[in-house]
Amino acid sequence: MDRDTINTVERVPHGSSDDPDVLDFSANINPRIPPGVEAVYRDALKLSGTYPSDDYPEYRAAAADYVGCTPEEVVPTPGGLAAIRLTIETSVSADDSVLVPFPSFGEYHREVRLQGATPEFVSHDSILETDPTDYALVIICNPNNPTGDVYDADELRRYADRCRDVGTLLLIDEAFLGFTEQESMAGRSGVVVARSLTKLFGLPGLRAGFAVATGSVKNRLEIARRPWTVGTPATAVGTYSMGRTEFITETRERIQHERSRMREMLAGSFDVYPSDAPFLLLDVGGRDPNEIVRAARKQGVAVRDATTFRGLDSHIRVAVRLPDENDRLVDVLDDV
């Protein structure tokens, strides 16, 4: 991390509310968790009096089955963002340039700047058309946050091969890919995949995730990661949750149905972006997004001010939750 840059880098705003009286549409979290998680957590807590195994064999095996790679390619991390930081700090040096999409997750450019490198912003929907030559790293968010669109799988694979051929590492943040049917890019040469377990399984406070990489890149990540990086309860719950295929299928079907229904209901008042993710981006037109955020909050509903994303100035983002909750959101937004 570059000491001369740290004091010039600001923290990035995020969604989420810890107010129990607020219906939170500002964070894209599954409102349901896999059945049986509580019992798994309690059993794991009993084992937390000793350090976890730093090899994490069961967690790596479950992650490999989950995304379609080998256990040896999995690097455990406390959340997807930790996988992103680990990748950037082991592949980017001061004075490097990194291709970063916009509008997209704000932590990418922050992590790049913390290394003293320069983020070069490219529209998220044209990043696959760029020339990756001479960049230390290219970052892609799939599905992209906050727009929600998924990249064409064949085009993404071709771009990954192009990055590999010119020696540029490709980091793909798949934090929301589990909500879709698209296959992961995990295990592909020249690619690091960052995965978060806390969104699909509704447990953001647990802090469980992993990176997937091959060859010398994987070796760098493994050497640089901290020992015992993920706690025993997190790995136990993560291992259990990744094997709950019925829960994953039910979640995908519910999100797809509710997203379509919400989009239809909101289209009369907003320009609603197409989405394959568990959220929708809304253009509010000539209205003030901050006024809408404040007015919704007064009615007990939190929505995300999306003007904090680079390139957006008239937008809010809303999560897809349970049917009755989604109806409540639509009523509030119609009112405000």
Side-chain angles (χ1 to χ4, degrees):
M1 197 168 291
D2 188 74
R3 290 182 297 175
D4 295 333
T5 308
I6 291 176
N7 291 333
T8 69
V9 179
E10 298 180 354
R11 298 192 68 81
V12 173
H14 295 281
S16 180
S17 171
D18 58 3
D19 186 343
D21 296 324
V22 170
L23 187 53
D24 189 7
F25 284 85
S26 67
N28 309 310
I29 306 300
N30 191 348
R32 289 178 175 163
I33 64 175
V37 159
E38 295 92 338
V40 173
Y41 187 93
R42 284 195 299 270
D43 289 343
L45 192 60
K46 298 173 186 176
L47 303 175
S48 296
T50 59
Y51 288 104
S53 167
D54 195 42
D55 291 334
Y56 297 102
E58 294 181 355
Y59 187 70
R60 290 182 197 259
D65 287 342
Y66 180 55
V67 297
C69 65
T70 68
E72 294 74 24
E73 294 167 341
V74 174
V75 180
T77 60
L81 183 52
I84 292 167
R85 167 170 283 193
L86 183 63
T87 302
I88 293 173
E89 69 183 0
T90 56
S91 61
V92 173
S93 301
D95 300 324
D96 280 341
S97 293
V98 177
L99 279 179
V100 176
F102 82 93
S104 199
F105 189 42
E107 294 289 349
Y108 303 145
H109 69 82
R110 178 177 182 267
E111 291 294 337
V112 170
R113 291 194 59 214
L114 283 171
Q115 301 306 318
T118 301
E120 295 199 14
F121 294 97
V122 180
S123 176
H124 79 282
D125 54 6
S126 62
I127 197 165
L128 297 187
E129 302 167 11
T130 61
D131 182 356
T133 307
D134 298 329
Y135 292 97
L137 180 70
V138 177
I139 302 174
I140 287 176
C141 184
N142 189 38
N144 187 55
N145 177 20
T147 57
D149 44 327
V150 171
Y151 291 92
D152 179 84
D154 290 335
E155 292 181 7
L156 186 55
R157 282 190 287 265
R158 284 193 291 270
Y159 188 75
D161 291 344
R162 189 178 182 189
C163 289
R164 181 198 60 211
D165 291 344
V166 300
T168 297
L169 188 64
L170 176 61
L171 168 60
I172 305 179
D173 181 3
E174 295 182 349
F176 297 102
L177 196 68
F179 290 92
T180 79
E181 299 291 340
Q182 189 175 105
E183 291 184 1
S184 173
M185 292 282 286
R188 197 172 189 88
S189 177
V191 173
V192 177
V193 159
R195 295 292 294 234
S196 167
L197 302 185
T198 53
K199 297 173 178 66
L200 179 60
F201 300 114
L203 296 163
L206 202 62
R207 309 315 303 144
F210 56 91
V212 180
T214 64
S216 61
V217 176
K218 186 268 178 181
N219 291 340
R220 289 203 306 267
L221 299 180
E222 190 64 48
I223 292 169
R225 75 170 178 89
R226 298 188 303 275
W228 315 299
T229 186
V230 189
T232 298
T235 55
V237 171
T239 299
Y240 173 82
S241 298
M242 285 186 282
R244 309 278 70 80
T245 55
E246 290 185 5
F247 174 84
I248 295 170
T249 299
E250 182 277 329
T251 297
R252 289 173 177 171
E253 292 174 350
R254 170 171 48 83
I255 292 293
Q256 182 178 9
H257 178 268
E258 285 300 301
R259 184 178 61 228
S260 177
R261 194 172 68 89
M262 290 173 65
R263 191 165 188 267
E264 183 177 344
M265 290 190 293
L266 292 167
S269 302
F270 305 95
D271 182 8
V272 186
Y273 285 56
S275 175
D276 295 290
F279 51 84
L280 290 167
L281 182 66
L282 314 180
D283 189 333
V284 304
R287 290 163 288 180
D288 184 351
N290 291 313
E291 295 263 348
I292 294 175
V293 172
R294 286 194 292 269
R297 187 62 177 251
K298 288 180 180 178
Q299 297 197 41
V301 172
V303 300
R304 176 74 150 87
D305 174 11
T307 62
T308 58
F309 290 93
R310 179 179 292 267
L312 299 181
D313 57 10
S314 61
H315 300 74
I316 61 173
R317 190 196 66 197
V318 296
V320 179
R321 294 181 59 92
L322 301 178
D324 290 348
E325 296 171 335
N326 297 332
D327 289 342
R328 170 66 177 153
L329 170 74
V330 173
D331 288 343
V332 168
L333 290 182
D334 282 345
D335 185 49
V336 302

